[in-house]
Amino acid sequence: MMRQFFLRRTETMTSNEEILDKWDNMSQTLIAVLTHVGEKEISQAAQYQLLDMIITATRMPIGYRKLRACLPETLLSLLLKVAGLGDIGANLRSLKLLQHIIDRHSLRFHVSVPRIFRESDHFAKIKSNEDDLEYFRLQRKDVYDSLYRSFLTHSNVMSNLEALFCAVCLILIEVQYPHTARDIAELMVNIQDAVINIPDLPIQSPRVSAWIHSTVISVLSFIACIHGLTDLKTLVSEVVSRRSEVAPFLIPPLKAKYTIGDITDFKEDVFFNHVLVRRCLTNACFDNRKIRIENTVGISAVMPEIE
């Protein structure tokens, strides 16, 4: 089945219906493979090889289908399960597979590494689908819980953190609604606060803390750009300016080596405050943006907490 799916690379006259049928078959293959990831009877090397094969097989855009068709609940649940196994290699591969499945506009290479975003030409013209929003709302608790825990357990490897960043940005692109922007902004500030306030995190080190804080500000700048949120852009610019003076290592790009002091010695104004971020994401802020995207759903966020 996987070999047949690869043939899509060379087919030029395949109908859209045939392509969608092949994806349905491929999704069943993904489910079958992911079901066995983590089993002791299969060696880690064999599991990685299988995951690498299916990542390669889903590297191309899969068409403009609804999210629930691209990523059915069973497949999503298995991806999140693999991401949470505690195996850093499986975590990385599950995130890459998630990227390839939800990247229906082939934009992941524009959000592959954290940076400060200052324009949105590639992203703001994408038309969102209300069915995608509704489906994502049903899955949001599990998705955000998985992302939160992955940030706080696997960010000590740069490739995993970059994969997490890319996955978050693709969610913002593909489900481009105020509801999603608010949720993810809240998630990122919660991750920032956890890194500051939980000293015994497995990943805790000055370098990894700098990476995560750089990633948080990158995601917030991305939200501001794709939605044209002037107030959030201003807030991000103010934090960037303060960090550039006292803590430039808290600004992307991520680096393998830094000269870093104790980040807890800095004033609160180099970090993001929940209240200030929320003020930049009100309905009025979205109504006044340059590019109007209809807000059809209110927010009642229940953010995950680490146990």
Side-chain angles (χ1 to χ4, degrees):
M1 188 181 294
M2 292 183 68
R3 182 176 297 176
Q4 292 175 350
F5 191 75
F6 271 108
L7 293 177
R8 282 183 55 193
R9 293 178 178 274
T10 57
E11 290 172 346
T12 57
M13 300 299 291
T14 304
S15 71
N16 186 60
E17 184 177 348
E18 288 175 320
I19 289 175
L20 298 184
D21 286 342
K22 286 189 175 184
W23 172 250
D24 289 335
N25 291 334
M26 184 60 187
S27 66
Q28 295 304 311
T29 301
L30 300 183
I31 289 170
V33 171
L34 292 170
T35 299
H36 296 289
V37 173
E39 292 183 354
K40 295 181 180 180
E41 293 79 6
I42 305 175
S43 70
Q44 185 183 73
Q47 292 179 28
Y48 286 0
Q49 185 177 17
L50 282 170
L51 289 170
D52 288 339
M53 287 175 63
I54 61 177
I55 288 169
T56 302
T58 56
R59 189 172 295 277
M60 71 296 288
I62 59 176
Y64 299 102
R65 304 187 72 189
K66 293 180 179 179
L67 193 59
R68 68 176 73 241
C70 297
L71 189 60
E73 185 175 353
T74 301
L75 178 54
L76 175 59
S77 296
L78 285 169
L79 277 171
L80 299 181
K81 176 185 174 183
V82 172
L85 287 176
D87 181 328
I88 203 161
N91 176 267
L92 176 62
R93 288 164 173 81
S94 66
L95 289 168
K96 286 187 174 182
L97 183 54
L98 176 64
Q99 293 170 18
H100 296 161
I101 293 172
I102 67 174
D103 185 21
R104 295 169 294 176
H105 297 84
S106 196
L107 290 171
R108 64 183 177 277
F109 298 112
H110 296 284
V111 289
S112 58
V113 295
R115 60 186 173 92
I116 300 300
F117 291 85
R118 306 187 187 281
E119 52 82 29
S120 59
D121 292 346
H122 297 295
F123 318 108
K125 297 177 182 179
I126 292 175
K127 183 178 180 180
S128 300
N129 187 305
E130 289 187 22
D131 184 78
D132 287 350
L133 177 62
E134 182 60 30
Y135 177 69
F136 196 75
R137 285 184 66 216
L138 296 174
Q139 312 300 329
R140 59 189 287 279
K141 177 65 170 63
D142 291 338
V143 172
Y144 293 151
D145 182 74
S146 178
L147 291 172
Y148 182 84
R149 293 175 187 278
S150 289
F151 266 102
L152 299 186
T153 54
H154 296 302
S155 293
N156 55 330
V157 177
M158 188 184 291
S159 58
N160 287 66
L161 181 55
E162 289 174 344
L164 275 164
F165 166 78
C166 183
V168 168
C169 288
L170 288 174
I171 291 171
L172 287 164
I173 292 170
E174 296 293 340
V175 192
Q176 199 171 135
Y177 281 88
H179 180 94
T180 311
R182 291 189 186 105
D183 271 4
I184 288 185
E186 186 82 3
L187 172 67
M188 299 312 297
V189 179
N190 282 347
I191 291 167
Q192 166 202 268
D193 290 351
V195 171
I196 294 172
N197 298 321
I198 306 177
D200 58 346
L201 285 173
I203 60 165
Q204 196 66 275
S205 75
R207 182 187 64 178
V208 176
S209 295
W211 285 355
I212 295 177
H213 289 300
S214 295
T215 302
V216 168
I217 198 170
S218 178
V219 172
L220 292 176
S221 75
F222 186 64
I223 292 171
C225 283
I226 64 173
H227 288 286
L229 299 173
T230 302
D231 290 348
L232 186 56
K233 286 182 182 179
T234 300
L235 177 61
V236 169
S237 295
E238 290 173 352
V239 175
V240 168
S241 178
R242 289 192 289 269
R243 288 184 180 184
S244 65
E245 296 176 358
V246 299
F249 48 84
L250 300 182
I251 304 172
L254 309 186
K255 299 179 181 179
K257 295 182 179 180
Y258 296 97
T259 301
I260 301 177
D262 185 353
I263 65 169
T264 60
D265 287 344
F266 297 127
K267 295 180 179 180
E268 292 183 357
D269 62 2
V270 301
F271 302 112
F272 289 96
N273 178 279
H274 277 281
V275 174
L276 294 180
V277 171
R278 287 170 185 154
R279 286 178 184 170
C280 298
L281 293 163
T282 63
N283 285 338
C285 292
F286 282 98
D287 289 341
N288 293 330
R289 61 198 162 159
K290 295 178 182 178
I291 299 170
R292 176 104 180 192
I293 300 174
E294 184 179 2
N295 181 14
T296 58
V297 182
I299 182 172
S300 56
V302 180
M303 303 309 299
E305 297 180 357
I306 218 166
E307 294 178 355

